[in-house]
Amino acid sequence: MKKIIVTFIIVLVSQLGMAQDAFKQDVLKVLKASGSAAQMEMAKDQVMGSIPEDKKADFAKDFDASLPSLYDKMAKVYMEIYSHDEVKQMLKFYESPVGKKMTEKASELTKRNMAAAQEWGMELQGMMMKYMQ
């Protein structure tokens, strides 16, 4: 009887582990489909500007090697906030025409939004100066 119970528990735990793996894989697909990878490339490109030329290749290699750890951390956050079913629905959206367009335009949108934020920041500085005098 103990063997049956132990076997049942082992099967149950392994099923739970496989379900968690599937959930994580779906979250990682959402991260990729949502344009998060493209944003990381943009961040890399920005940082590369401050790295000396002779060290850029090594930095790029280290940066790329650090991404799986970041994506694992991001996946954990998604898995705490969203259910697996919600993540599956996100995947359906990102596979739709408008979802694909969002992914394709993510880096352009980020660049334009950054420019708009910088412009606004300059306006904000002027406003702050008015009140600091």
Side-chain angles (χ1 to χ4, degrees), residues 115-129:
Q118 287 174 343
E119 184 179 321
W120 175 78
M122 296 299 286
E123 293 170 9
L124 182 61
Q125 280 183 329
M127 185 188 325
M128 289 170 55
M129 295 304 281

Side-chain angles (χ1 to χ4, degrees), residues 20-35:
Q20 287 292 89
D21 286 346
F23 187 9
K24 183 177 178 182
Q25 291 306 310
D26 285 345
V27 169
L28 291 172
K29 288 177 190 174
V30 165
L31 290 172
K32 183 177 180 181
S34 68

Side-chain angles (χ1 to χ4, degrees), residues 3-117:
K3 288 182 181 181
I4 293 173
I5 292 172
V6 170
T7 303
F8 176 73
I9 290 172
I10 290 171
V11 168
L12 186 62
V13 169
S14 67
Q15 289 292 330
L16 181 61
M18 289 188 330
Q20 287 292 89
D21 286 346
F23 187 9
K24 183 177 178 182
Q25 291 306 310
D26 285 345
V27 169
L28 291 172
K29 288 177 190 174
V30 165
L31 290 172
K32 183 177 180 181
S34 68
S36 291
Q39 290 177 352
M40 291 301 107
E41 282 299 315
M42 282 182 53
K44 178 179 159 184
D45 291 345
Q46 286 181 337
V47 174
M48 289 286 270
S50 62
I51 303 293
E53 198 64 41
D54 62 325
K55 297 179 181 177
K56 285 186 178 186
D58 289 336
F59 172 79
K61 194 185 321 179
D62 287 345
F63 184 95
D64 292 343
S66 75
L67 289 177
S69 172
L70 171 63
Y71 293 142
D72 282 345
K73 289 175 174 80
M74 292 171 73
K76 183 179 178 194
V77 172
Y78 270 70
M79 292 169 73
E80 291 170 356
I81 294 174
Y82 300 108
S83 70
H84 194 177
D85 187 54
E86 290 168 329
V87 168
K88 287 179 181 180
Q89 291 176 37
M90 288 179 208
L91 279 173
K92 280 185 184 178
F93 168 75
Y94 283 115
E95 291 168 354
S96 73
V98 71
K100 288 178 181 178
K101 183 174 183 177
M102 279 186 67
T103 301
E104 291 169 8
K105 301 293 182 180
S107 60
E108 178 183 351
L109 188 63
T110 300
K111 286 178 187 174
R112 288 184 178 193
N113 283 334
M114 285 175 57

